[in-house]
């Protein structure tokens, strides 16, 4: 899978480990930065991850900040991005199956590396169910986005 991966300074250490882990599992990683430890602004990197996914240059996105909250808010401002903050494996796969989540956000100050890897495994292994009720609900979300994008 082609994956856009980004972080701010709060998430960069976990991002380095995730990058290696994803490549070891056969994924192609599009690095959206940041790469250094100096303080940066999470919206800059969330934007890059979300736009890369929304433009279909990547299949999925992963954005890591300190709590994951700012990253989630910022990613969801990009039309076409459907980002969720997931710190458990159930939400990580159900968010894809039911809601067609295409970007996952993680808080590096909240979860450890092994849990992050398990969450990402659930996220990347899941597919949108295409069930009628979920397609209908997703369409309502897209309608909401279109309405306020005018
Ligand atoms: C940066 O200090 C921190 O605010 C950021 O990583 C994130 O937690 C925001 O939600």
């Amino acid at each position: 899978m082609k994956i856009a991966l980004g972080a701010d300074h709060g998430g960069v250490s976990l991002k380095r480990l995730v990058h290696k882990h994803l490549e070891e599992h056969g994924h192609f990683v599009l690095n959206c930065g940041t790469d250094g430890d100096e303080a940066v602004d999470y919206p800059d990197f969330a934007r890059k991850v979300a736009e890369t996914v929304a433009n279909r240059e990547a299949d999925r996105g992963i954005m890591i900040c300190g709590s994951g909250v700012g990253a989630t808010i910022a990613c969801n401002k990009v039309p076409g991005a459907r980002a969720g903050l997931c710190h458990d494996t159930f939400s990580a796969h159900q968010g894809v199956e039911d809601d067609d989540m295409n970007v996952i956000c993680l808080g590096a100050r909240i979860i450890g590396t092994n849990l992050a890897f398990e969450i990402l495994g659930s996220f990347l292994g899941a597919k949108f169910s295409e069930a009628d009720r979920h397609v209908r609900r997703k369409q309502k979300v897209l309608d909401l986005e279109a309405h306020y994008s005018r």
Side-chain angles (χ1 to χ4, degrees), residues 26-71:
H27 297 289
F28 182 80
V29 177
L30 287 165
N31 181 13
C32 297
T34 189
D35 297 312
D37 295 307
E38 67 282 358
V40 291
D41 298 332
Y42 67 80
D44 298 334
F45 303 92
R47 176 180 185 158
K48 181 89 170 108
V49 169
E51 285 180 345
T52 301
V53 174
N55 294 339
R56 300 183 189 279
E57 293 161 49
D59 304 300
R60 299 273 175 92
I62 300 168
M63 176 64 202
I64 310 170
C65 72
S67 65
V69 174

Side-chain angles (χ1 to χ4, degrees), residues 55-121:
N55 294 339
R56 300 183 189 279
E57 293 161 49
D59 304 300
R60 299 273 175 92
I62 300 168
M63 176 64 202
I64 310 170
C65 72
S67 65
V69 174
T72 309
I73 293 171
C75 285
N76 279 319
K77 298 299 179 190
V78 176
R82 292 177 296 280
L85 172 59
C86 298
H87 287 152
D88 67 276
T89 56
F90 178 78
S91 305
H93 70 79
Q94 200 207 244
V96 177
E97 291 157 359
D98 291 8
D99 312 317
D100 205 13
M101 173 172 68
N102 54 14
V103 177
I104 193 167
C105 298
L106 301 174
R109 295 174 181 151
I110 313 296
I111 55 168
T113 307
N114 290 331
L115 178 55
F117 289 173
E118 288 194 19
I119 289 167
L120 293 176

